[in-house]
Amino acid sequence: MPSQTPYLALVDIARRAKAQAAGLPGRQEVKPYWTGIGFSLLGHRFVASMDEVVELLEVPQHTFIPGAQPWVRGVANVRGRLLPLFDMAGFFGGHLSGPRQRRRVLVVEHEKMYAGLIVDELHGMQHLALEYARHAPGDLLEPFSPMVSGQFELQQGRWLVFDMQALINDFQFMDAAAH
């Protein structure tokens, strides 16, 4: 084999590498996704917009508030700020289920509203393809229906879109004093 110049040797190496290289993947259609925080409550799976939940917490130690609705759990000091805690299962007429260590607090803050919503379990961030988005289901039980603005129907089941703004605007939720 005749000796090659360094340039020709590099050209030969590049040609052989290119011949053995795997091709680029084919073009794939990029699907738009909606991202939210998934949680369970009273046997249903919900997802809330990332824009509506400002923080996720374990249920903190809290102080009972006398004269409040039974679903008002109390108030907690979270980094020097008082956070009212609401039992969402109790608000909807049920009871929190599952082990206490799995319960979590979704912290919502909107204008002057700062509240911690206690749910049965947290499922973390959910990236849901918009192609599976549907209108709110008609078979939803009455206590939830005003708070559900849509759903995602997947093979693994459905995720109900929980509308925090609807909850904050709900008269019964805002009337936390016992009658």
Side-chain angles (χ1 to χ4, degrees):
M1 176 177 220
S3 76
Q4 297 180 326
T5 66
Y7 173 75
L8 291 177
L10 289 173
V11 168
D12 184 52
I13 291 170
R15 180 189 55 75
R16 285 185 285 147
K18 195 173 190 179
Q20 294 179 1
L24 292 174
R27 273 199 145 151
Q28 294 179 333
E29 183 180 333
V30 177
K31 296 179 183 178
Y33 283 84
W34 184 83
T35 301
I37 300 294
F39 62 96
S40 292
L41 183 63
L42 295 173
H44 297 280
R45 290 189 313 170
F46 293 94
V47 63
S49 171
M50 294 284 294
D51 296 336
E52 296 179 324
V53 178
V54 296
E55 190 172 4
L56 305 170
L57 303 170
E58 290 184 3
V59 180
Q61 295 232 344
H62 51 278
T63 302
F64 174 74
I65 300 174
Q69 294 281 1
W71 44 269
V72 176
R73 279 293 175 95
V75 64
N77 183 338
V78 177
R79 291 181 298 284
R81 194 167 177 196
L82 293 179
L83 176 68
L85 295 172
F86 302 97
D87 172 348
M88 293 309 296
F91 175 73
F92 287 113
H95 300 283
L96 289 167
S97 63
R100 287 181 188 267
Q101 62 268 26
R102 297 194 74 129
R103 295 179 187 158
R104 294 294 182 263
V105 176
L106 306 176
V107 179
V108 295
E109 187 169 14
H110 180 73
E111 295 175 6
K112 294 183 180 183
M113 167 61 83
Y114 179 63
L117 311 177
I118 303 171
V119 297
D120 289 328
E121 186 175 358
L122 189 65
H123 299 293
M125 287 178 59
Q126 300 297 315
H127 305 285
L128 303 166
L130 287 177
E131 67 184 283
Y132 300 114
R134 305 286 182 266
H135 293 290
D139 64 341
L140 196 59
L141 298 175
E142 178 54 37
F144 293 124
S145 58
M147 309 307 162
V148 174
S149 61
Q151 67 179 328
F152 287 88
E153 294 231 7
L154 307 172
Q155 287 180 334
Q156 311 89 303
R158 71 181 177 184
W159 287 94
L160 302 170
V161 179
F162 195 92
D163 185 348
M164 293 293 181
Q165 188 64 44
L167 177 70
I168 291 169
N169 292 334
D170 183 79
F171 174 76
Q172 288 180 310
F173 182 75
M174 294 305 293
D175 187 24
H179 299 286

